[in-house]
Amino acid sequence: MLRLTGLESRIADRIAPTLADMGFALVRLAVLGRETPTVQIMADRSDGGQISVEDCEQISHAVGAVLDVDDPIPGAWTLEVSSAGIDRPMTRVGDWERFAGHLVKVEMDVPIDGRKRFAGTITGLRGDKGHEAAVLRMEGDEEVTLPLREMRKARLVLTDALIEASAAPGSADGQNNPRIPKLNPQKPGKSKKN
């Protein structure tokens, strides 16, 4: 489902093994701009847990090193790494099983019954490998089957149920204690008084 071509495809091919070795998966990759392009990488933990700021830092360092060595972009460029977020894009076949029961919006390349845009609850996945289709329950209990290969884009819709599922114990790092960032209440430039 993650359809990349040209430069984006070459970059994805170079960084995917590094991400996999680190326990992450590529969700989305885009190269934006001309003068000083920005390489935007959206990643996810392979175990399904929430990605942390520290994870993004690790990915940034590792991917930056790979791109520095391979040098697929001539001249200066910028790297941005982020998590897929709660209302994430649906770019992998496994996303459709993982987020069954949640609301999604889909835009198709090819119209189905005269429509290109759909919104509904994910009820499952059908088809053989390479020919998978998402099944959505829409308003009025109408069911539609949407071939993944013909999707332009798909994104989860932020709902209370999705937020609750994302905040469930174990969703942060596969354990029962979610990662909580440590905050320094001190203002920048101020030193502690003894």
Side-chain angles (χ1 to χ4, degrees):
M1 265 204 48
L2 185 60
R3 295 183 288 182
L4 300 172
T5 59
L7 178 61
E8 291 173 347
S9 178
R10 287 194 309 273
I11 292 172
D13 289 345
R14 288 183 174 121
I15 67 171
T18 300
L19 290 173
D21 288 346
M22 296 172 66
F24 299 103
L26 182 63
V27 174
R28 189 172 75 84
L29 185 141
V31 179
L32 307 170
R34 291 184 183 191
E35 293 289 321
T36 306
T38 298
V39 178
Q40 291 183 338
I41 294 172
M42 190 178 287
D44 208 2
R45 292 177 56 97
S46 297
D47 64 9
Q50 296 275 339
I51 195 168
S52 69
V53 173
E54 292 83 12
D55 293 334
C56 288
E57 286 177 18
Q58 289 177 355
I59 292 168
S60 181
H61 290 296
V63 167
V66 169
L67 296 179
D68 281 340
V69 170
D70 287 345
D71 202 21
I73 301 172
W77 48 271
T78 304
L79 177 62
E80 293 179 358
V81 177
S82 67
S83 74
I86 296 173
D87 56 343
R88 64 187 310 114
M90 304 285 283
T91 61
R92 297 169 295 173
V93 173
D95 291 343
W96 297 94
E97 293 168 334
R98 178 178 171 196
F99 294 103
H102 292 287
L103 188 61
V104 67
K105 286 187 178 182
V106 178
E107 186 176 330
M108 303 297 293
D109 282 328
V110 177
I112 295 179
D113 296 328
R115 296 176 60 171
K116 282 191 168 188
R117 294 188 178 155
F118 298 87
T121 302
I122 304 166
T123 61
L125 192 63
R126 291 188 186 144
D128 298 325
K129 185 173 178 146
H131 300 283
E132 296 93 344
V135 181
L136 305 184
R137 185 180 62 246
M138 300 184 358
E139 246 181 66
D141 285 334
E142 177 187 353
E143 191 175 89
V144 64
T145 302
L146 306 173
L148 300 186
R149 293 185 334 183
E150 296 175 11
M151 284 185 187
R152 176 171 293 150
K153 60 184 174 180
R155 186 180 251 340
L156 287 174
V157 175
L158 190 61
T159 63
D160 289 340
L162 183 59
I163 293 170
E164 187 176 314
S166 296
S171 66
D173 60 2
Q175 300 173 4
N176 288 330
N177 51 353
R179 292 183 186 180
I180 300 172
K182 294 178 182 172
L183 302 175
N184 183 353
Q186 225 176 293
K187 291 185 179 180
K190 302 278 182 176
S191 61
K192 288 184 179 179
K193 293 183 180 180
N194 293 333

